[in-house]
Amino acid sequence: MKKSRVLAVVMAVLMMVTLLPSMVFATAVPSGTLDGKLKVKGTLAIGSTLSADYSKVKPEGITDDNVSFSWSLKDGDLLTEVGTDKTYKIDEKDLGLPIVLKITGKEETGVSGELTVTTQEVSETEEEAKALAEKKKEEAKAAGEDPDAEESEASAASESSENTPDTEAGMSEEPDSAQPEETIEPAEETESADVQENTDVQENTDAQEPADTQEPAENSVIEVNGEQSGPQNTDEADTSGDSQTETPDSADTAADASEKNEEPTYSASAYTEDGSGILDFGSVEEGYTEIPEAQMVTIKNNGTGDLNFKEIAPENFMAADINDAPLKSGESVTVWVKPREGLKAGEYKDLITYQTEEGADVFFEADFTVKEPENKKAEDNENNEQTDPGETSDPAAEKIYKLTADPTELPFDDLTAGYEKVETTSTVTIKNEGTEAVTLVQPESEFFDIAPVSEVESSGNIQLAQGGEQTFTVQPKLGLSAKDDPYVEELVFASDESTEASATVTASVMVKTETPKTVTATVKPEGPLKFGTLEQGYETAPDAQPVTVENTGTEAIRIQLSAPEDYEVGEPSAEVLNPGDKAATFTVQPKTGLQVGDHSDTISVTDQNTGNTLAEVRLEFTVSEPEPEPNPGLSVTDSLEFGTKEEGYKELPDAKKVTVTNTGNTKIVLKQPSSNAYTIGTLSATELEAGDNATFSVQPVSGLSQGEYLEDIVIANDANVEAYVNVHFSVTKKKTDNGKKANNLTGIKKPSDIKDLPNGTQKTQKALKLPGTVKITTTKGEQKASVKWDVKGSSYDPSSAERQIFNVKGTVILPEGVKNPNKISTVIAVSITVNGYQGTEAAASDNKITGIDSNGKYDTNTKITFTAAGAGMDNTNPRKGDTRYQPKSWKITETRTWDGEPYTATFRVSKPGKYTLKVTFGQQKYDGSSWKDTGTQSESTVTFTVSQAAVLTATPSPAVTQTNQKSAVQTGDSTPIMTFVIILIVAVVCIGGILVYRRKKK
């Protein structure tokens, strides 16, 4: 019977051995169709960065290289794509909208299909994101739904979401129904993993302790999360086995915490290859050139949260960094460690510490000895013998105890009496720069709180290995009273081993008397805002002027502005101003369409918390009666006829009066007229207001020879109004003159003025319609004479958009045979009027929407990109008065605006149906320097239809389908499976034989 029991035990052991292959994890290359649950990592708050989490995605082993990404904002049924990178940083425009992540398998990598996840709405801060996630979870519970339930499977191309424990707070993803889900691993799998892992660890423990006489290994396992596990000295050898088996329990706790959605825990353990917890690199002689071979250490995450390791740089050893990716819960990573080259002679026992951003640090010991060369030892011995043959060296004298602090001074920001918390926390690092390990004593302080950064202390004392460091946080204690001088205290970090080994840090803080609470504010500018005067009917309001509000008190203020009836007051840049904040700004601008009168008013700046008026802003603006459109005009006596006189006349014709009247509505300044054939009297007045008149006299001069003296006496003026009087005087030849009659010039007939030419007329004689000839009178009658016009010398500017009235002077070229003995002026002038530019009117009917077909049909997978083209937007050289239509906004379910070019947008609609895209255009008018909104708007629409896209399930390639492939899947496991199969068969046969034997015996 005893033999059979032994045999049964042997058979059971053999069966257990056959189960070992089940613990080997395959590492197959991922291939197939995407399935499972896609998650998003990150906090749903502005400024946070999101990424994909494939922990629940099948096939296993999916990475960023196997899929493409599409990040979109979900606004009702509208999806607007905002990114295609691996990660997405949340922007302010995303506030209040859920984010949709869709991953699509890259078929060239063997992965096909797609998965989608929808998050909760984006919050402004992390705290709000956490609160929203908790609220949605409570709402789901109140509705009788299980917030922790998980769908059994997720199909490709379907929207799914999760709220998993390893996701950061506030990052619970939600489907359209806003029901948060939580991934719950099956309890059977967790327990199985725990049992298996415990078995392995216990076996390792038993292997390390075959007999009671074996010394326990130091630091075999060190777990850092406020406690140390593993034996620290020979007295704790009995508990080492228990400490090692706690590691799987941590994983079990992690699974439980994950299921309950508790706050993540952070802890880690380190394991050396030999299980001792110490890396022993042996010894070499000083000056060594070959570095001992690197040794490996396995670090495991025993907590429930991811660990992000910091870079590591030990003083005497080199170690691999763990910064490729976060170490997930339950995962392990192997790192190498080896001594540095060129170390001096000495014994190096360094504590290699891997620190994490979460505060869960893990460490282990590395030992390395550098010996002095034999020749140097002989020289030292010889020197010692020569110096003092009887003296022996004292090993204790070679020990050095030294502590240093960095920094040595900790000045804190000033505090105010009655403070309830301290915002600033400083750190100081104490380093053991001696040759021996020391027991660091944490100082006690009257005015400052001191605590180690990592939880490694025991009864106030800390073990610090040679070269090791310990960081402490220091901050002023609560309740310090105000006084005139600062609190200054020397914090002494000492050691138990030596009174000389200490480091001093001077901490100081000033506590001031509490300032009386005041609620005050000032506004700038201090004087009134003057907007000037405009005529009634003005279309463009004066430019808006900024006003700044500065909090000059000690309390926060909540700004409230009064709203004057005749002014537009903008929203302040900040509603709440704390003391010391940057000033808030708002703008003020008079409204358009105000009537004639004084529109002065006041804006009151009030604190909503107290209701007190903090400041006032005086506004000044006046609307005046419109000035009439300038319309200058002059009327002059029609003509003067002085009759005929015979050559040699002595009696002059009587002088005649000419009256000039201002018939326009503006003042005109006259210039004194002149003539060669007539004597012109002085003007009675040169400045004529509307309705005024002036006079001057005209009389032929004496001594004129035979001829006709027909002339237009021009009254020039600053308004360039045509004004002249036609005069005529004839002198005949004496009857006794029997000679041949001469052909002498007696007058030039002035051409008519040219009016109403279009704006932009070219500056040429032909374009300005100037005549090529004029009529002249001679002693033999009328003739035509050509004119040479000085067009270039005129003041006309063809590029001006304003109405222009100007004169063009010309010189009359007398025909052959015509003499001008009386020196009559041959210079004439013509007044020309060119109308002002009326502007190019853009038609609203020319507004277009391109890129999307009217009555077009699309499916729910289609990304639609359209462009809004406003009429007149292609006017690159505008002139005053031109108009255009600028795209302002577009809408399908919600209105979205454009800040500027390009006026394009991309969207995708996730729900089938008929939709209308509406684009709003705003009319603008060019004022000569910039485009200004007129307030007129136009809308253009496009109707389109969205159908449900077909869900395509990609068929995996036969090359990677298990049912079709001819060879085994390459898993990376080289364990010979056939050996275990044979052992299993033998064990079953043996057990069966034993049972048969026992029955026959009975």
Side-chain angles (χ1 to χ4, degrees):
M1 186 65 182
K2 190 173 183 180
K3 292 181 180 180
S4 61
R5 288 182 179 180
V6 173
L7 186 57
V9 171
V10 172
M11 293 301 102
V13 172
L14 289 175
M15 291 187 67
M16 290 297 296
V17 172
T18 62
L19 296 177
L20 289 177
S22 65
M23 299 180 64
V24 180
F25 293 92
T27 57
V29 176
S31 63
T33 304
L34 290 174
D35 201 351
K37 304 293 287 183
L38 175 63
K39 297 185 290 184
V40 174
K41 291 191 296 186
T43 304
L44 277 172
I46 295 174
S48 297
T49 300
L50 307 180
S51 61
D53 183 355
Y54 312 110
S55 59
K56 299 297 181 183
V57 174
K58 298 178 182 179
E60 296 182 358
I62 290 293
T63 67
D64 291 343
D65 297 330
N66 299 115
V67 297
S68 61
F69 302 83
S70 174
W71 300 87
S72 303
L73 293 179
K74 184 176 178 63
D75 190 352
D77 294 331
L78 180 66
L79 289 180
T80 303
E81 187 175 65
V82 292
T84 57
D85 293 333
K86 298 177 181 179
T87 61
Y88 175 67
K89 186 173 183 180
I90 300 178
D91 196 1
E92 291 183 358
K93 69 177 184 299
D94 306 338
L95 183 63
L97 297 177
I99 294 178
V100 178
L101 168 61
K102 182 175 76 171
I103 61 172
T104 303
K106 297 181 179 178
E107 296 188 358
E108 63 270 20
T109 66
V111 180
S112 60
E114 62 184 34
L115 288 177
T116 305
V117 59
T118 303
T119 72
Q120 68 180 38
E121 295 83 354
V122 172
S123 301
E124 187 169 2
T125 64
E126 292 186 9
E127 292 74 13
E128 293 178 0
K130 293 178 182 178
L132 179 59
E134 194 63 30
K135 178 182 177 182
K136 288 184 175 292
K137 189 172 182 180
E138 292 176 357
E139 290 176 352
K141 289 182 178 180
E145 301 172 355
D146 185 3
D148 296 333
E150 180 182 38
E151 295 179 5
S152 59
E153 60 180 57
S155 59
S158 65
E159 294 189 6
S160 62
S161 65
E162 297 199 39
N163 177 18
T164 63
D166 57 351
T167 306
E168 294 186 24
M171 193 58 240
S172 79
E173 299 86 12
E174 299 182 48
D176 293 341
S177 59
Q179 297 178 1
E181 300 178 353
E182 181 179 18
T183 301
I184 303 178
E185 298 295 339
E188 294 78 9
E189 294 181 10
T190 305
E191 293 174 2
S192 175
D194 292 345
V195 172
Q196 185 65 44
E197 196 169 352
N198 282 329
T199 303
D200 292 345
V201 176
Q202 186 62 49
E203 288 176 1
N204 291 338
T205 305
D206 296 339
Q208 293 172 13
E209 300 179 10
D212 296 337
T213 58
Q214 181 175 345
E215 292 293 331
E218 293 183 15
N219 302 327
S220 60
V221 179
I222 300 178
E223 178 179 344
V224 180
N225 190 21
E227 297 180 357
Q228 298 183 1
S229 67
Q232 300 301 310
N233 50 55
T234 56
D235 296 335
E236 299 176 2
D238 294 338
T239 63
S240 63
D242 295 337
S243 299
Q244 292 182 2
T245 58
E246 287 177 3
T247 303
D249 294 338
S250 300
D252 186 42
T253 304
D256 294 340
S258 175
E259 293 176 1
K260 296 177 181 178
N261 201 21
E262 296 175 351
E263 288 295 326
T265 60
Y266 303 101
S267 65
S269 299
Y271 303 89
T272 59
E273 291 179 310
D274 60 1
S276 65
I278 301 176
L279 302 180
D280 189 353
F281 292 94
S283 61
V284 297
E285 284 191 358
E286 186 176 11
Y288 59 95
T289 58
E290 292 187 4
I291 301 175
E293 185 177 351
Q295 298 189 34
M296 311 306 288
V297 176
T298 300
I299 296 176
K300 182 175 182 180
N301 183 351
N302 297 325
T304 63
D306 294 353
L307 294 180
N308 295 275
F309 285 85
K310 301 179 182 178
E311 292 185 355
I312 185 171
E315 182 178 4
N316 301 314
F317 292 84
M318 294 182 291
D321 285 322
I322 312 175
N323 53 13
D324 292 340
L327 186 61
K328 297 186 178 297
S329 175
E331 293 184 354
S332 301
V333 64
T334 301
V335 297
W336 55 263
V337 181
K338 60 183 178 179
R340 294 188 181 273
E341 185 178 2
L343 296 177
K344 300 297 182 183
E347 185 176 358
Y348 298 92
K349 292 189 176 183
D350 288 10
L351 199 63
I352 310 299
T353 303
Y354 278 86
Q355 297 181 328
T356 67
E357 296 178 0
E358 292 75 19
D361 302 343
V362 62
F363 52 85
F364 50 86
E365 184 176 331
D367 295 351
F368 183 47
T369 303
V370 181
K371 300 179 181 179
E372 291 186 355
E374 293 297 331
N375 56 354
K376 184 175 181 181
K377 286 184 178 180
E379 292 176 2
D380 292 342
N381 292 335
E382 184 178 350
N383 293 335
N384 292 336
E385 291 174 2
Q386 292 176 358
T387 304
D388 188 356
E391 183 180 351
T392 60
S393 60
D394 182 7
E398 297 177 0
K399 295 182 178 180
I400 299 174
Y401 295 95
K402 182 180 179 181
L403 295 176
T404 60
D406 182 27
T408 58
E409 294 185 356
L410 295 177
F412 289 89
D413 295 337
D414 292 348
L415 300 174
T416 302
Y419 61 95
E420 296 180 354
K421 65 178 180 177
V422 179
E423 300 291 346
T424 305
T425 299
S426 298
T427 60
V428 59
T429 300
I430 306 300
K431 183 175 182 181
N432 181 2
E433 295 190 351
T435 61
E436 303 299 320
V438 298
T439 302
L440 185 62
V441 180
Q442 178 177 318
E444 295 183 357
S445 171
E446 181 181 358
F447 307 124
F448 298 91
D449 289 327
I450 307 168
V453 172
S454 57
E455 300 291 341
V456 298
E457 65 172 329
S458 176
S459 300
N461 299 336
I462 299 171
Q463 300 298 320
L464 200 58
Q466 186 270 336
E469 297 179 349
Q470 177 61 45
T471 302
F472 295 86
T473 60
V474 182
Q475 71 174 176
K477 291 185 175 182
L478 297 178
L480 296 180
S481 58
K483 64 175 188 174
D484 295 335
D485 53 341
Y487 290 90
V488 180
E489 187 174 1
E490 291 186 347
L491 311 177
V492 180
F493 293 84
S495 67
D496 284 344
E497 288 73 13
S498 173
T499 57
E500 297 179 358
S502 65
T504 302
V505 180
T506 303
S508 61
V509 65
M510 184 74 182
V511 181
K512 298 180 178 180
T513 305
E514 185 176 6
T515 306
K517 295 182 179 180
T518 58
V519 180
T520 57
T522 59
V523 294
K524 293 182 180 180
E526 297 178 355
L529 295 182
K530 298 182 178 181
F531 294 95
T533 301
L534 291 179
E535 294 180 359
Q536 185 182 18
Y538 62 94
E539 296 180 354
T540 303
D543 292 337
Q545 297 190 37
V547 179
T548 59
V549 182
E550 183 177 358
N551 186 349
T552 56
T554 62
E555 301 299 308
I557 61 174
R558 186 177 296 274
I559 300 175
Q560 182 176 14
L561 305 175
S562 61
E565 181 179 359
D566 297 338
Y567 293 84
E568 298 285 353
V569 181
E571 292 293 330
S573 58
E575 182 182 0
V576 177
L577 278 183
N578 291 303
D581 284 355
K582 185 179 179 181
T585 304
F586 65 91
T587 58
V588 184
Q589 184 181 33
K591 295 180 180 179
T592 57
L594 297 179
Q595 299 300 313
V596 174
D598 182 9
H599 294 274
S600 297
D601 211 329
T602 301
I603 296 178
S604 297
V605 181
T606 305
D607 175 28
Q608 295 185 36
N609 298 328
T610 62
N612 296 334
T613 299
L614 305 177
E616 291 186 342
V617 182
R618 181 67 180 168
L619 311 174
E620 295 182 359
F621 179 53
T622 302
V623 178
S624 62
E625 291 283 354
E627 291 288 337
E629 191 72 23
N631 184 24
L634 292 173
S635 65
V636 186
T637 303
D638 287 341
S639 61
L640 300 177
E641 178 61 49
F642 289 96
T644 303
K645 292 286 184 179
E646 192 177 89
E647 188 177 17
Y649 61 92
K650 295 182 179 179
E651 184 180 352
L652 295 174
D654 294 335
K656 295 187 177 182
K657 183 173 71 172
V658 177
T659 301
V660 182
T661 303
N662 184 351
T663 58
N665 58 6
T666 61
K667 182 176 74 172
I668 296 179
V669 178
L670 306 178
K671 297 181 180 179
Q672 178 65 35
S674 61
S675 173
N676 291 327
Y678 295 89
T679 300
I680 308 299
T682 302
L683 280 167
S684 62
T686 56
E687 295 185 2
L688 299 182
E689 296 291 343
D692 292 348
N693 58 60
T695 61
F696 63 90
S697 61
V698 179
Q699 185 179 32
V701 299
S702 61
L704 295 176
S705 58
Q706 179 188 359
E708 297 293 330
Y709 295 93
L710 178 64
E711 184 178 347
D712 289 333
I713 299 176
V714 177
I715 302 96
N717 55 83
D718 63 347
N720 292 323
V721 176
E722 182 183 82
Y724 62 90
V725 57
N726 185 267
V727 295
H728 177 254
F729 177 51
S730 178
V731 178
T732 60
K733 190 174 181 64
K734 287 185 177 181
K735 294 180 180 180
T736 57
D737 185 2
N738 296 323
K740 185 177 180 180
K741 185 177 181 181
N743 190 13
N744 295 331
L745 178 67
T746 59
I748 300 174
K749 190 171 182 180
K750 177 181 175 296
S752 302
D753 291 342
I754 302 171
K755 299 182 178 180
D756 296 328
L757 293 181
N759 188 269
T761 299
Q762 294 182 353
K763 195 174 182 178
T764 63
Q765 177 180 336
K766 182 177 180 181
L768 294 175
K769 298 183 180 181
L770 291 167
T773 61
V774 294
K775 288 183 179 181
I776 63 173
T777 57
T778 67
T779 53
K780 290 187 176 181
E782 289 187 351
Q783 289 183 255
K784 286 186 178 181
S786 60
V787 182
K788 183 178 181 180
W789 298 102
D790 182 17
V791 178
K792 292 184 178 180
S794 68
S795 62
Y796 174 55
D797 180 8
S799 65
S800 174
E802 304 295 332
R803 181 172 181 266
Q804 300 179 71
I805 301 176
F806 56 94
N807 290 328
V808 178
K809 293 182 179 181
T811 301
V812 177
I813 301 174
L814 299 178
E816 186 178 356
V818 177
K819 306 295 182 181
N820 189 12
N822 299 321
K823 297 182 179 181
I824 297 174
S825 175
T826 57
V827 177
I828 60 176
V830 174
S831 176
I832 302 177
T833 301
V834 177
N835 295 329
Y837 181 70
Q838 300 301 316
T840 301
E841 188 78 18
S845 59
D846 292 334
N847 295 330
K848 305 293 182 185
I849 302 174
T850 62
I852 180 171
D853 297 333
S854 179
N855 298 317
K857 296 183 179 181
Y858 306 91
D859 61 36
T860 53
N861 282 339
T862 305
K863 293 181 181 178
I864 305 173
T865 300
F866 70 92
T867 301
M873 290 298 293
D874 56 351
N875 186 355
T876 58
N877 189 25
R879 301 179 66 184
K880 184 177 181 180
D882 287 353
T883 61
R884 70 177 187 181
Y885 282 88
Q886 182 187 40
K888 295 292 187 180
S889 63
W890 62 281
K891 179 181 179 181
I892 296 179
T893 57
E894 297 290 337
T895 300
R896 297 185 178 275
T897 60
W898 282 295
D899 296 330
E901 293 182 324
Y903 301 105
T904 62
T906 301
F907 65 90
R908 179 168 65 90
V909 179
S910 61
K911 185 176 180 181
K914 190 172 184 180
Y915 296 89
T916 298
L917 168 63
K918 180 173 68 175
V919 177
T920 301
F921 299 85
Q923 188 189 57
Q924 292 183 322
K925 191 172 186 178
Y926 194 72
D927 64 359
S929 59
S930 62
W931 293 97
K932 301 292 186 181
D933 290 334
T934 64
T936 301
Q937 290 188 339
S938 173
E939 294 180 351
S940 297
T941 59
V942 174
T943 301
F944 61 97
T945 302
V946 177
S947 60
Q948 178 64 50
V951 179
L952 301 179
T953 303
T955 303
S957 173
V960 295
T961 304
Q962 293 184 358
T963 57
N964 294 335
Q965 63 184 19
K966 297 180 180 180
S967 59
V969 177
Q970 300 300 315
T971 66
D973 177 20
S974 59
T975 305
I977 195 68
M978 186 56 65
T979 302
F980 295 96
V981 173
I982 294 173
I983 295 174
L984 178 61
I985 294 173
V986 173
V988 172
V989 172
C990 292
I991 293 173
I994 292 171
L995 294 175
V996 172
Y997 173 77
R998 292 183 62 184
R999 286 184 179 179
K1000 287 182 177 181
K1001 191 174 181 180
K1002 289 181 178 180

